Amino acid sequence: MQWPLQIIYFSLFTSLYTSLAQQLPRESMEWRRSYGRAPKMIHLEANFVQFKEELLPKDGNRALLTFPFLHIYWTDCCDTEMYKASVKDDMLRWQSTLRLHGSVDWLIVVVESEAKKKNKTNILPRTSIVDKIRNDFCNKQSDRCVVLSDPLKESSRSQDSWSAFLTKLRTLLLMSFTKNLGRFEDDMRTLREKRTEPGWSFCDYFMVQEELAFVFEMLQQFEDALVQYDELDALFTQYVLNFGAGDGANWLGSFCAPVKRWSGLLLRRPIDMEKRELIQRGEASLLDLRSYLFSRQCTLLIFLQRPWEVTQRALELLHNCVQELRLLEVYVVQGALDCWVFLSCLEVLHRIEGCCDRAQLEANCSHTVGLWTYATEKLKSLGYLCGLVAEKVPTSEDLNRTVDLLAGLGEERPETVNSLQSPYKKLNEALSSVEAFEKHYLELSHAAMEMYRAIGRMRSARLIGKSLAEFYMKKGDPERAEGFLDDSLRSYVAEGWRLQVTHTRKQMAECQKLLQQTEDYLQTSALLAGDANLTEEERKHFCQEILTFASQPPAPSGEHTHTTVALSMAAFAQLRQMQFSPPGAVVHVGAALQLELRVRCLMPVAMQVEQLAATLHFSLEQGGARGRAGSAQRRAGHGPQGQGDGVVMFPQGSPLAGAGMGASLPPALELYEMQDRSPSDSSLTSTGVVCKNMHLLLRRHDSSASLDTPTAGALPAAVAVDDGAQMLRARDITLQPGDNSILFTAPTGEPGSYTLRQLCGSVGRVQFVQSHIYPVVQYEVYSQEPQLTIEPLSDNLLAGIPQKVTFTIATGHYSVKKGDALQLSNTDSMPILHSSCCSATVLSKRMGESALSIQSSEKVTSISLPPTPPYHTLEFQLEVLCHIPPTPFKPDIERLTNGEVRHRPKSHSHVDSGMINIDQKVSIDCPWSIYSTLIALTFYVPFKAKHSILSAGKRKYIQVCLQNVSDTNFHLADPVLTERQPTVSMELLSLNVKTQQTLYSLKAEISPPSGDQHCRTGALCGLEVSITRQAEPSETEGEEEESTEIEGLRTTKLMYEVVDNSSNWAVCGKSSGVVSMPVAASATHRVQMEVMPLFAGHLPFPNIKVFKYLPHNAVPAIQPDTDSCLENDTISLLDKGLDDQGDTASIRSRGSVHSVGSGEQQRGLPMPRLEPFSPGQVFYWSQGRQVLVLPVTDDHVMEVNVT
Amino acid sequence: MLTRLKTQVPLFSMNSYTKLREKLKLSGLSFASTHSHVIRLGRHSRHNSKMAVCIAVIAKENYPLFIRSVPIQNELKFHYTVHTSLDVVEEKISAVGKAMADQRELYLGLLYPTEDYKVYGYVTNSKVKFVIVVDSSNTSLRDNEIRSMFRKLHNSFTDVMCNPFYNPGDTIQSKAFDSIVSAMMVQAS
């Protein structure tokens, strides 16, 4: 350290001096500080100075560096006499001198030695001298006097005393230092507070505070030292700012003097004494002061091992100085500051390089790169200033300027004279010649760029690259500029910064023009011509460049062998929308299909386009010959024009899209509904949502992703125009700036699917090509086979009556010529009835009617058709008749007109009406096909006929039922039954006139018990049933009924039965019985029975049933199986009739019926049978009659047993 | 009855609006007091020039959503400056560890100084960047003032985002936002 603390000693033993100076700083002391600052451990170092009165500070002088912090009086006096004689006086004098100078920090050291003690025998005990001294001088501070025993000896005693002394010395020294430092700081603050007073000088104050910094530095308290400089820095900065704001301070005047020297920072010396002196003298310029301040800060920061802070502060300082000089309006020679900054940057970098190793430097590029860039910038501006960036040599004016600038650098400093790479030499060399400048400039630029790249600051690197490109352009070296420009341009386009894109593109255009890259230049020009950020004139200029080229005749020979130049359409025009007319974009072969294209022309002037063509990709996808319906359906599900209006909108993105926004914004999801229908019956098989632009969304986004907008370089190879394909063409159109509408007629020559692939506009030799049209635009052309359909006019065709059917011919691609005829194979079951006045209708845009001539021969009916163009519909009506099949219809046999009999698995039955249908197939030979067309017509049989033969003994009844099952009303007239094979003995009589006769009537009466007016519950009542024969039995009847002759009277046996289903009555006694009825009209039989009502109220009469009672011997006569003709359903009909009477079940269940010959017991034996009467044969008078039953008067429980 | 219904079913209640804003903004504007050795002079400096010379909002994908600079000066230069500053923004964002991303302060501080300008950065949680360029000669603006400018900008930006008619990713054309920006760019004195 240069300035250890000053300790002034009085008569020190020189033998002790060295060890004292060495050992004092060995141990650290805790330094407690004022103002709440954290205590620190410090090592104190001292400089021992022989006492001289003039060394003592004058009053008020508090210069810390020369300040005596501690006074030590050394004595080895051990003799009281001697002490009293001389030492005491000496001490007193010393003390009074100290007091005079206000110094209170002193110490008296008494050195004892055994040797001396032994020599002097009359000495007082050792303590007495010390005590005396303490008594004389240290009235309260006994610690101001220490004893040091035999410091030069190696004994432990002397060691202990020595270290105790050192501790004491340190403590006292630190105490004094702290006290004096505090006082110094207070004084300094006072001085600072006076800064607004006139006459205050910053330089003076600077020196004071710097002294503090020095002291801290000496104590190795670099942080504190740095704070002092930072405070000075801030104070000065604030003054400059205030000065700039008009609040001038006098002392600042010296800093406002014109800058005469710009030699840059000097960081190689710990203290730049030259500059310090300048400051001390108040002659420093602003740059001097700043340089000095920074050099000190730099030194301290490097002590603190914070080199990266140096670089950061250096950059701030340089920026700040430039600003301050501007603010203070200091005159600086043009370029001088650039020199200063350049030199300073390099100086800082050198300084840092000097204290860090390579790895450290590389790892901390981010800290140094700023300085590199700044130096590069400054060198560049110097180069431009001195005419070094040009193709020519510098002018004399440039040279003069260079000389002036170099003069301001002064002589090279001695520190760097021997260094080959010193900033001074570099600048000198760089300004010496164009070549040297280029060398240095490129070196710096590349270094800075490399560093930026290394730390990933690609944008900054590109900015330097761009500035290099500008340099190359100035130098007339566009080849080297191109790469840098291209790189920058790509990044600006990718990130969507429009102004940069425009600016760089303009530079690019210039570069490409120089390089004669015609194609690229035109492409760039096109982009610029459509660039809204340029002025109208500029745009027109670039547009004119294209037009000029376009109108030039192609160069006869040379490097450009191709005569046309293909440019990207994107720069020229934007597609807005396409609209098909008809909107479905599905047409048949040869039909007219128009496509309206709307483009936004980006050029500033109207462009004459000789041809605008869109190439078509043709594919036979899905077989163009498919029917229209299927095709249209598919389109509705999948097609891009699925909206149904045939309009395709081209996404424009954001308004920035022109500048290539697409690259930075992910494209939006384009979702479409997808329906997959089964090809056979168009039922929905699956449905879903499809993302149409998945390939864009899932694309890897890497740096090398090709941009949609061509930037500057060569266009993608796909721009090549393909000629072979079919095209949509529009010729000689004028595209106005803005939206234009162009009409195309689409070729529809062949069936298939046409997809628009490429759009190409030709302007002279220039072609603007859009290689892909997205979203996909396509249309379909189909070819349809002729089709013949036959449909009934009404809902259903009924068999047996003539009805009209409509023949519809969709001609498809076939054109019906004159003489073409439909040949219908005739069939017996379905003759074609034709009248002469048949006419056919040709359906097209206009309706046409023409006559139809029909010739019928035995086998075929020929219908000659009127001539009809393709894709028209021909319609006519014919009357047909289908005979009802004569035999009972066997539904599982189907007849074909050609006589074939085909078996079908199942007959159809009309679901609603139960009508039976006949599929009548018609075989038609059409003129367009060599094969016959089979068309099935379904006829429904409107009737259901049923007949049954009922046998009754010798007689047979034939029942014929005819049921109309159709919706149509029919009138049945004159039904006749005829015989097929005439037989002799058959006679048919109609039964339709005669109805069934009533044979018996039944009458029931319930009479109350005798003496009572009404029936009462629980009381037996009489039931009288009278059975009356109504009519003479007829012959047929007689045969049916088994009659017996008893006593000359013919009787039939009847069985009666009383049944009460509702349990209202209890039949007492016999409930059934057999009666013999005389076979005579009005014969009556009465039966008396007793019944008991179980409930009160109006009770219905019990049921009375009558059966034919057939004795067992009569069985063979009525065996039903004798007649096989009796059909099953007839029996079922009988069964049904029995059921309706509803009593068979009750008879069986009750078990009481068979009172006469119970069937169970006599099973197997011939037994009588019961047979019910046919409906209507028995009339029951009392059906529905009721009788009033009164409740019994006295209520008591009654038990009733019912058997 | 009608009024009751109205009050019960607000279309977009103020409460939810505020919540949304809070959600968008999340947290992160605490001010660490910076210890500085700068000695302030007694009198306040009268030097007060323009506040900001250029204000830019940059999308997550690094294209400008909004950029405005003082009209008289070279617009292109500001665009270059702002664009280049993205390097530092990215560096600062990535410097903070992913785990710390939640606690990260939105204010990025001085991105880089140039001779003429100081460029300050701020990044929202959705990685939208705000850049304010201040003239280097303008020393009256202190860190806290820059911070408050960013905060104001962020608030206004949040309002823009809350606008249902604003399509995120589009350039900002909000008049309210524009006026906030204008207020930061006009002369303060």
Side-chain angles (χ1 to χ4, degrees), chain A residues 323 374 378 457 460 497, chain B residues 41 62 80 83 87 91 115:
Chain A
Q323 285 297 326
Y374 200 21
K378 288 300 165 189
R457 296 196 187 176
S460 311
W497 289 73
Chain B
L41 294 187
N62 288 338
Y80 276 119
H83 181 248
D87 271 342
E91 206 171 277
E115 200 173 287

Side-chain angles (χ1 to χ4, degrees), chain A residues 1025-1089:
Chain A
V1025 178
S1026 55
I1027 307 166
T1028 311
R1029 178 126 203 162
Q1030 293 291 322
E1032 282 283 342
S1034 64
E1035 293 95 307
T1036 46
E1037 199 185 342
E1039 278 179 43
E1040 234 178 83
E1041 276 181 60
E1042 185 56 43
S1043 54
T1044 41
E1045 296 273 337
I1046 300 165
E1047 299 158 18
L1049 195 66
R1050 254 176 77 211
T1051 55
T1052 45
K1053 282 192 173 164
L1054 295 176
M1055 197 193 97
Y1056 69 88
E1057 190 193 10
V1058 178
V1059 182
D1060 179 37
N1061 284 331
S1062 48
S1063 309
N1064 291 330
W1065 302 92
V1067 183
C1068 302
K1070 203 171 146 191
S1071 69
S1072 60
V1074 177
V1075 292
S1076 292
M1077 288 294 291
V1079 185
S1082 307
T1084 305
H1085 194 98
R1086 286 174 206 275
V1087 182
Q1088 296 283 346
M1089 275 174 292

